[in-house]
Amino acid sequence: MSETRKLYVKSFGCQMNVYDSRRMADVMAPSGFAETDGPEGADLVILNTCHIREKAAEKIYSEIGRLRVLKQEAAAAGRNVTIAVAGCVAQAEGQEIVRRAPAVDIVVGSQNYHRLPEMVARAKGGAKIVDTDFPVEDRFDALPTPKRETIRSRGIAAFVTVQEGCDKFCTFCVVPYTRGAEVSRPVEKIADEVMRLADGGVREITLIGQNVNAYHGEGKDGREWPFGKLMHRLAEIPGIARIRYTTSHPNDMEDSLIAAHRDLPALMPFLHLPVQSGNDRVLEAMNRRHTRADYFAVIERLRGARPDIALSSDFIVGFPGETEAEFRDTLSLIEEVGFASAYSFMYSPRPGTPAAEMDGQIAEPEKSERLQRLQAIVNRQQKAFNAAAVGHTLNVLLERPGRHPGQIVGKTPYMQAVQVMAPAELIGSVLPVTITDVGTFSLFGALAQHGATPSLATLGA
Ligand code: SAH
Ligand code: SF4
Ligand code: F3S
């Protein structure tokens, strides 16, 4: 093989992109590309972009501006730098990107990453490549099998795509346009990937997709399997200690999935279940197709199956027409449910989505004021949730070296990072850790002599 070249992938946006960035590194590895952690000295720079925020494209263009300088400097030194734009801005803007930013060599849509090596080779010959169509054949199939070494370098926790795309068309969201229709990956394909990951030392998998619990992939029996049944299949794989999934839609919390939360110890008691708003009129205008009461009912079913389940959510404030009273319904929903964490956003109009055309667009200062009020409540809940862990012994998966020598960072079942003093050989083990203190970004704990506290229902309170 030729000499090693350097690849820098910068990831923006959701987990889907984080995962895709790894896939891109995997497809480039056989061509001799090794990942590096900055653009300086890289031979190939990929910007894996997100289109969810307003001015997302503008930010990418200024990012490209900085890369253009690096590219020119490298060229002066006789070195060739290839710049690729991938992800959702690439999907949305396509050809426009190479027109506006001639420094860009490749524009690649999210369905076409398997063709990257060939694109990079052609770009070296001076061609401009734009490839953003949605292939109809199984888009997961075309990816090469990851090499064992690349799996190893992924560490203890890995993402696995189980479905892509979304058919829900929430009126604020670009995903159905940028990521296309919902497609589920067959059960055995997923199981094979998870087996390989487990073989490479991975202990925790997070099943990802834009709408992961809408999963309905084909099982061995030729039938469509619901998500809960897929969980059972994956939980059987030796070495896999923990399973998580994100992101889910409240309407797709089907019975087999709720039952999996009850029956599978590997399925972690933490769920990101975006609700966006606590007001029925706003939910309807968002085309979420469920009510506030429906959301509470889902939470009740989940807590019935897994009393210690901790929840997180996404919220949008200042959706067009949202009144102060309607906004307060979101606050009261947060108070009623109690979240371990949450992401909250000011509504930002996305061109081409129905909400962007709606009357009653709310002024920025108002949105910002609402956001601050909402975040104050969520932050208080998050702090209380973390503080409640102190004095408890929780099972912690030790994942990687920590901030200080001798420290290892692990994760509790509830997604809290914990710093523990422990020998590096313990990385990969799940061990009981007594939580001693809470910091800003993580908990602190000590390896415990005894097992985890049997009932953690109090933690969710
Ligand atoms: N599939 C997931 C989330 C996809 S986007 C779901 O159905 O919930 C991630 C989050 O970004 C959304 O949950 C929403 O809270 C936020 N978001 C999406 N579009 C937005 C917009 N136009 N303005 C503000 N926030 C938005
Ligand atoms: Fe977007 Fe709604 Fe689909 Fe989530 S469910 S990806 S918010 S359209
Ligand atoms: Fe952003 Fe695309 Fe994800 S728009 S949130 S990166 S699907």
Side-chain angles (χ1 to χ4, degrees), residues 171-173 177 285 319-321 347-362:
T171 54
F172 53 81
C173 185
Y177 312 96
F319 185 79
Y347 169 71
S348 125
R350 305 298 323 145
T353 60
E357 309 298 319
M358 287 179 187
D359 292 337
Q361 299 288 331
I362 296 185

Side-chain angles (χ1 to χ4, degrees), residues 162 207 211-215 225-232 243-264 267-268 270-273 298 301-303 305-306 309:
V162 300
L207 308 179
N211 224 318
V212 80
N213 59 339
Y215 181 84
W225 282 25
F227 199 40
K229 201 166 173 187
L230 172 71
M231 294 289 181
H232 275 272
I243 304 176
R244 303 180 185 276
Y245 59 99
T246 197
T247 295
S248 297
H249 192 289
N251 287 359
D252 293 319
M253 290 305 300
E254 38 83 28
D255 289 338
S256 82
L257 181 54
I258 304 269
H261 274 283
R262 182 191 61 215
D263 300 332
L264 297 175
L267 190 51
M268 288 293 101
F270 179 93
L271 181 61
H272 182 64
L273 193 62
V298 170
R301 280 161 70 220
L302 276 162
R303 287 184 172 153
R306 189 74 213 235
I309 199 157

